[in-house]
Amino acid sequence: MEIVLGNAVVELLSQRALFLPQDRILVIADLHLGKGMHFRKAGIFMPRDSGDRDYAVLHELMQRYRPRQVWFLGDLFHSAHNSDWLLFEAFILTYPDVRFVLIRGNHDILAPEHYAALSLDVVPERLELDDLVFSHEPLEHVAPGKINVAGHIHPGCLLRGLGRQSVRLPCFYLYEQVFLLPAFGALTGLYMMERTKRASIFAILPGRIVLL
Amino acid sequence: MNKWAEDWFEFKGWTSYPFQRNTWKAIAGGYSGLLNAPTGCGKTYAIWFGVLADHQKRYEGKKKASGLHCLWITPLRALSKEILNATTTVSEDLDLPYRIGLRTGDTPAAERARQKRQWPEALVTTPESVHIMMSQKGYADAFRNLQFVIIDEWHELLGTKRGVLVELALSMLKRINPALKIWGISATIGNIDEARNILLGMEHPHATMIRANIQKKTLIETVLPDTLEKFPWAGHLGIRLAGKILPIIDASRSTLIFTNTRSQAEIWYQHLLQVHPDLAGVMALHHGSLGEEIRQWVEEALHQGILKAVVCTSSLDLGVDFRPVDTVIQVGSAKGVARFLQRAGRSGHHPGATSRIYFVPTHSLEIMEGSALRYAAKHQMIESRLPYIRSFDVLIQFMVTLAVSDGFRADELFEQITQTHCYASVTREEFDECLLMITRGGRMLEAYDEFHKVVVEDGLYKVIDRRIAMRHRLSIGAIVSDVMMQVKFLGGKYLGSIEEWFISRLQPGDNFWFAGRNLELIRVKDMQAIVKASNKKKGVVPSWMGGRLPLSSYLTGALRHKLNEAQQGVADRELDFLKPLFEEQKRRSYLPGEQELLIEKIWTKEGCHLFVYPFEGKFVHEGMAAIIAYRLGRIRPFSFSMAMNDYGFELLSDQDIPVEDALLQELFSTDNLSADIAGSINTTEMARRKFRDIAGIAGLVFQGYPGKQVKARHLQANSGLFFKVFQDYDPNNLLLREAYEEVYDFQLEIVRMRQAFERISTHEVILKQPEQLTPFAFPIFAEVFREKFSNESLEDRMNKIKAQLEQEDSKHGDRTGKRRR
């Protein structure tokens, strides 16, 4: 689904990512890669291949949209270094012509050399592109006329209907000047957002986005 | 005979009961066994003097201390204190060199270290503490000379996973000393023989059963409201009856008021104070979330007879006799005959005294239960406790416990656990799968894997990572709770604990009721909620999860019997009172008898409701609702919201539910029942909810180090995520299968549900289509907690909801879609 954010046309992808067609930038938040292995390292038996789907979707996005840049909006890797980093390395090396940028999130605690070895540019807090300001955690103050694109929250929405039916879905969430991206990683949960009139909620269904 | 017992009983001026003498004799004869005796008749001494005599026989004249001679395991810390006091008194009165120590989760580290340097002769402890002892290096030395293990209130542990902890601990202690004597103490339950066999192990050579046979008279009276509310609403009536119980409290010396949940206890305490301010100072509150200090004060004050009334929960169900208590009030359904009678037995402890219990119904239909309880008590319909079997989560925890201390060998452990009732049917393949889970984190072994919870060195399974060992010791046990927050005053005084999710909804400055006081939240810091006392009259009451037991099959049986009497017009105090309600039910719909199943189809603005009244208890209804939904879903895609209480269940859909006669027969048919049960479970959340406890016990969900929650932050994930991941990537996982098996046994109560389907298949189905909700339907309609079923596609459901929302928008301008009453 295409929407206008600030002055830019952006595409909301049902793979839980954002695409900026004009600059060919793919924006992905809260991947939490390596989470399964982090648990396993601590002796908690998370199934071994629980993170595979994430890479499959990443490759699919790369091939379909052929971005020039990929911006990770924080929480790229779940915690301390573990062997799953090798999988991420393999992913990055598949796309030598793409520039990868990480806006550091609260989970991104790896030593700088790990990022440097992959030529992954690390930005401490924010990146600006025209009217859009990208960050991991939503900014407290957004300059007038700007829109803050952020992650961190893992937004989800709860829909209720007749017959006391309800559905929980991940979503994009626009409230005033903040636009929240859904968490990308399969091993992440949802934080239920409030449904107020002033917020626009873009719920994610398999294969499509619906504005509520 | 038992010399010390005779001396001591004489010293006290008491006479021993035959069952006490029989127990002393049996223990002297080297028997193990089960003592079936109610609380408050001297069961502790029946066992204790047997233990003392054995010790004297073995060690008389020897200088060296014997080391641990007896373990006394109780389900409650409060009870441990009581046993410690009772047994210590004997040693002091008779000047015996037999020392008794206490070891529970509250025992300070220094005291534990002192015990280890020189073990007392006996330890009073809990199942969890015994497992923690087994996670310490050299534990076998501590138990080397152990002769006795006493399991107090075994009926309470049986039927829980803590009972499985006991079975495993006993299997280990028996391996250390094959001549170990095991004694259980149990109140009467339906399967008391099975209870003994489970405790003593499959083949115990020298076993006996001793019954106290002390009959107690119980008076049951239902407290009736002045007027009958024809549209009962769960929880609505109870508090209005508060005024009615004041005369009962006044006329009694000391009254225990049992409620089913902690929040209900808080509400009742508040309300009683409001309607009767004189109770301030002589009434107290007691429930499991209150701090130890507060609870101990209440218990002490009860002993001394200072308190006129205590509002409590199951926290005062067990042990500990409060002699001044002469009256018990049960608020709301006790859900089972045994539990109701046990609570009744908390009053009138003197030999020959009568137990007096008043039943306060919380909604009109519940009034009928008073009558049903009297019927069931008269016919001695005492429920059984269903034991857990094949609990792989507890087994995995136990494996790691042993790996943390001295390690274990697979063949030995397999042989050991298959001697227990719980694991008797576990195959070597299943056992090996558990081993794979703790050594490789699953069945697959792949390159670069860093899983190494337990490692194998020369055939010995061991934990070598110190952090894993520490985390494991902190999470031993079979009670899984939510993350709790401590509630403290500014000055540091500890009040108790509340689930984090409740506190997280409050803002500083908000008021809430807890520990019987109105508190203002000041701030939340490091898992502590700092509060100050407030004079405000308004505030939210925390609701705690749990406490949703179903009515037992005996009680529902009695209830159906009473309903039949109501239809026949049999006179009875409760039924007579309910007559107007039954008349209204008859006028709007129909009043079913024992051989009839009533189904009501009613349209409201929420959609099409189907109400069914099998009177089989909440859990069976939950399963039935899922099966009926599943069967309807085969006709065409449906989404249902389902609600249930102990009397019936409701299916609610946004589209018409077809109910032609032929179809109804099919819906309740016993054909293909097994397949349909399996199919329906997959479409509901039942297994997912069961998995929550399993994930906690097996060590998947770690709640963090006490006071160090932040450090483990990156290791937190909820069990729902694990459930989903296992279903997607490891669907045959043993723990996942265990969740489904538990749904069958404990949630659906499969045996009972099958019987219910068979019973119903012989009944005449009465279908009514009333214009409005009926008295039977109303309390189910008002249930907030709902189960879901859907076999429509996400897309279709979403589109429908969206269309409905848009319609609502244009009508009300309200987007929350919340239902209004």
Side-chain angles (χ1 to χ4, degrees), chain B residues 246 250 272-283 308:
Chain B
L246 290 174
D250 277 342
L272 284 172
L273 269 188
Q274 242 171 50
V275 294
H276 202 47
D278 290 354
L279 280 172
V282 291
M283 182 173 68
K308 200 79 183 122

Side-chain angles (χ1 to χ4, degrees), chain A residues 39-43 45 49 78-79 82-83 107 159 162-166 187 195 208 211-212, chain B residues 440-441 448-451 453 471 606 639 714 725 781 786 788 795 797-799 802 804 815 819:
Chain A
F39 274 62
R40 290 178 67 79
K41 228 175 146 171
F45 20 92
D49 34 10
H78 184 69
S79 191
N82 65 45
S83 58
H107 276 265
L159 306 179
L162 260 191
R164 299 192 203 173
Q165 293 299 317
S166 64
L187 296 182
R195 300 196 58 212
R208 118 188 143 93
L211 171 63
L212 300 180
Chain B
R440 294 179 186 175
Y448 308 124
D449 201 352
E450 292 166 274
F451 189 94
K453 185 169 192 146
R471 254 204 329 267
E606 290 190 336
S639 294
H714 290 188
V725 170
F781 173 80
R786 292 192 163 242
K788 291 184 175 52
E795 176 107 31
R797 290 171 66 196
M798 190 40 221
N799 286 339
K802 197 166 167 261
Q804 290 155 7
R815 294 187 53 152
R819 68 198 208 92

Side-chain angles (χ1 to χ4, degrees), chain B residues 450-465:
Chain B
E450 292 166 274
F451 189 94
H452 53 79
K453 185 169 192 146
V454 173
V455 296
V456 196
E457 284 173 354
D458 299 329
L460 192 69
Y461 288 74
K462 286 191 66 94
V463 166
I464 46 175
D465 184 321

Side-chain angles (χ1 to χ4, degrees), chain A residues 47-121:
Chain A
R48 177 65 184 83
D49 34 10
S50 54
D52 290 2
R53 197 203 69 114
D54 288 340
Y55 290 104
V57 178
L58 279 175
H59 282 296
E60 183 198 326
L61 285 170
M62 296 302 287
Q63 274 142 31
R64 182 128 161 227
Y65 295 95
R66 309 216 161 259
R68 271 198 290 259
Q69 297 188 44
V70 176
W71 291 3
F72 297 117
L73 290 199
D75 292 359
L76 170 65
F77 205 70
H78 184 69
S79 191
H81 182 270
N82 65 45
S83 58
D84 267 2
W85 185 255
L86 295 173
L87 297 176
F88 182 65
E89 238 171 60
F91 165 76
I92 296 282
L93 296 177
T94 317
Y95 306 97
D97 303 332
V98 180
R99 178 179 176 234
F100 290 92
V101 183
L102 167 66
I103 300 177
R104 196 191 285 267
N106 50 318
H107 276 265
D108 298 305
I109 55 171
L110 292 189
E113 57 265 28
H114 291 299
Y115 304 120
L118 292 179
S119 319
L120 182 73
D121 293 337

Side-chain angles (χ1 to χ4, degrees), chain B residues 276-319:
Chain B
H276 202 47
D278 290 354
L279 280 172
V282 291
M283 182 173 68
L285 181 65
H286 190 286
H287 63 68
S289 292
L290 297 179
E292 183 86 8
E293 204 185 323
I294 298 176
R295 279 183 287 155
Q296 271 177 22
W297 179 85
V298 175
E299 288 162 25
E300 197 43 47
L302 259 177
H303 272 299
Q304 292 169 2
I306 306 172
L307 293 174
K308 200 79 183 122
V310 175
V311 184
C312 59
T313 62
S314 54
S315 60
L316 283 185
D317 261 358
L318 295 184

Side-chain angles (χ1 to χ4, degrees), chain B residues 625-637:
Chain B
I627 290 165
I628 304 303
Y630 180 75
R631 287 177 169 176
L632 282 166
R634 271 201 301 240
I635 303 171
R636 64 163 182 262

